[in-house]
Amino acid sequence: MSNRFLLRDALAEFPPYVPGKPPVSSPGLTPYKLSSNENHLPPLPGVLDALTAAAAVPANYPDPTAAALVADIADRLDVDPAEVVPGAGASEILSALTNITLESGTSVVYPWPSFEMYPILASARGAEKRPVALLPDGRHDFAGLAAAIDDTTRLVLLCSPNNPTGPTIADAELEGFLAEVPDNVIVVLDEAYLEFASEAADGLAARKKHANLVLARTFSKAYGLAGLRVGYGVADVEIATALRQVIAPFSVTAPAQAAARESLARIDEVAVRAKEVAAVRDRFAHDLRELGFDVPDAQGNYVWIALDPEAAVAFEGACAEQAVAVRRLQGGVRVSIGPDEALDRVLKVAAAARP
Ligand SMILES: Cc1ncc(COP(=O)(O)O)c(C=O)c1O
């Protein structure tokens, strides 16, 4: 590390966040980015107008509490507005959760592979990282997660549907696990892709019994607002108050607040679109399995193809030649659901690479 500035030594150990690559252009082929689990559908009707109106006075700060958005979310979920914490994406909520719980000498338990931010945030807080390997079918190993908790553990992260592998957590699994976790340890259920799932644990219901359960949600995926950066946490009032202490004021911009409110008002359309994406995902996953690939239960807006490292490099490269960017991670390749033309090209690559 450089000696020029008094930076933390730990920075050298931070795992890098590798964003999804943009597609490489290829003559005659429309490029597609299926590497960041973005929503490929056009904006919901009304959202662009709401954005324009909210951006009319860029000189003004937004409402720092996002009170109207918080009220809409609380109303929709039937929770107390004091339990809703808005942030610049679920990422900011996850970051704040690590900020209020972790420090040197503490530990955080999470499944792995899962969302890449988890180990990065743990490193940022100087906490011990305790990744627990997923089961072979891409699901959380709850016995392993419970066994990894000790009296240094301040935070447990769960992801349903799990990014990148795809399966959700079931109600019984969540309930059984929460019954084992000390009730002063915060457990986060990251539900970034919940709207695409046909079956998933009901985090809202579980919270009623377990005050240490916090939900992390986002408008980035099913609502298609990733570029605006808006998400929220649902947490016990004491935890929510701590979260507000560490989140930067004004982090959710006025256009983001307005677009999220407009989208919530159109939640039925959001649900229809999420179902459309899920139907395409199911067909795509089925076709890949028919070709002989190992594809776990896919419940998000993406499909995981388990591959050995060499095959994953080859698969990613063959997709790039077709002007399609997919995401290669440890243990395989993740393909976000996109337009049919893009998925057809991936299927062509898969047919040529069948195991
Ligand atoms: C599992 C999971 N959680 C949280 C996020 C963060 O989403 P955002 O910060 O855009 O709300 C992502 C983004 O890809 C994700 O995959």
Side-chain angles (χ1 to χ4, degrees), residues 1 26 44 64 68 99 141 170 180 205 207 219 259 325 329 332 334 348:
M1 170 145 314
S26 191
L44 284 165
N99 205 356
D141 173 5
E180 284 196 57
R207 276 194 66 244
F219 289 95
L329 294 156
R334 190 193 66 197
K348 235 191 259 164

Side-chain angles (χ1 to χ4, degrees), residues 158-169:
L158 307 176
C159 192
S160 175
N162 188 53
N163 174 14
T165 52
T168 48
I169 294 167

Side-chain angles (χ1 to χ4, degrees), residues 144-168:
L145 289 162
I149 297 172
D150 65 16
D151 56 11
T152 68
T153 306
R154 296 273 186 84
L155 187 66
V156 179
L157 301 166
L158 307 176
C159 192
S160 175
N162 188 53
N163 174 14
T165 52
T168 48

Side-chain angles (χ1 to χ4, degrees), residues 17 36-37 88-92 94 115 118 159 161 163 190 192-193 217-221 226 229-231 334:
Y17 181 78
S36 295
N37 290 351
S91 299
E92 184 166 51
L94 292 167
F115 184 37
Y118 302 161
C159 192
N163 174 14
D190 182 341
Y193 302 96
R217 293 188 170 185
T218 183
F219 289 95
S220 292
K221 306 296 179 179
R229 314 304 304 128
V230 50
R334 190 193 66 197

